[in-house]
Amino acid sequence: MLPSRASVVVVGGGPAGFMAAIAAAEAAGGRFPGGVLLLESTPEPLHKVLISGGGRCNVTHACWDPRVLVDHYPRGGKALRGPFSRFATGDTVAWFQAHGLQLVEEPDGRLFPRSNRSSSVVDTLRRAAIAAGVGLHTAQAGQTAQALPDGGFRLRLRSGAELVAEHLVLATGSHPSGHRIAASLGHGLVTPVPSLFTLTLADHPLVELAGVAMDPVQLELLLTPLPGIAATTATKPQRQRGPVLITHWGLSGPATLRLTAFAARALRERRYRAELRVDWTGGRKPAELEGWFADARREQARRQLGNWRPWPDLSRRLWLHLLALGGVDASLRWADLPRRSEQALVTALRDSRYQISGRGPFGEEFVTAGGIPLAEVNLATMESRVQPGLFLVGELLDVDGVTGGFNFQHCWSSGWLAGQALAAQRTCS
């Protein structure tokens, strides 16, 4: 039975909402007379946690220094320095361990539950909420909120039910409902756009190489100004280096996702049309490549080019493609490789150009860039600067991170800070 009044109502049963509700209830220690309510619009809370990381849940990333951690957020990074100085990766690991869940670091820095199952994270959060006395109500979607003259809020749900809250926490992620409620309470909105997506290549010259993965690859997005489109701060080239996967429609992999995250708005403004420069060597210098070719001429003189690659990690399928791209016969012996053909291969390896024609075909972007402007929020407490008693956490804000657990980390941090601030206000009142 949904009560008609509560001390704290958290709208949104995702990672940030759960953390805010648990942290508030734990820190207050029963000092909220009306209790802490957590409302989730779907029948199953924490669904995003459950499906994340291929069902494993990348909880956070082993980036322990807040000064370095903020570099992984294309939007909001600098502003997060303060919040992360109070609750960052180490605090997240300690919090989950204190609640019975141990996280394990993988070689690339991602941290997963030891069980390797996202359900363990969900179970931990649900148990912690129950233990703290949080009242969880599912299939309860917030629709409108009204600030009351004497303080507090009247929240109307989609079902038609109403309840009064002394404090209101919006943790609705990128869902428009949270944006509408925040706007009705005086907040602005940075228009959300997709972030962290794969790229479709025009005419897909690499389609026969689908499935090939290379690491490292250096990507450079050439964002030249387009006629009729207003210039932005993102017209300078965007670069990323790391693993790349060739797909049936274009390019994916961590380096591609990072690139699209940092260039999300510029790509949207250009209707996802741009030129992509790919350095398949990962940034190696021309002199190093020339040294490889010299060694190959001397040590592999009788072997055909197609049967011996300059370095072992270079995919043979990709190497044959680059030979064809450079107009070089794969049956040619290394001893007979002309200098002009060598230069053509160096160019193909370091400076292949492709035309981007759109995002990946499945709408698989997991994050949006945009939300409530950070200037409208006190980031020490996550309380609104516009409406006292209102707190905003998680992906509702104009903050987004790259892949690797960084978006979850912001949810844990902002939720925890809001919970602590709510409990502190109750103690002082």
Side-chain angles (χ1 to χ4, degrees), residues 178-221:
H179 297 153
R180 288 194 297 268
I181 293 174
S184 72
L185 295 171
H187 278 281
L189 177 66
V190 178
T191 304
V193 301
S195 182
L196 284 179
F197 49 85
T198 61
L199 293 172
T200 298
L201 300 182
D203 301 324
H204 200 356
L206 303 173
V207 66
E208 294 182 357
L209 304 180
V212 168
M214 288 289 295
D215 183 20
V217 175
Q218 187 163 286
L219 304 177
E220 181 177 0
L221 195 60

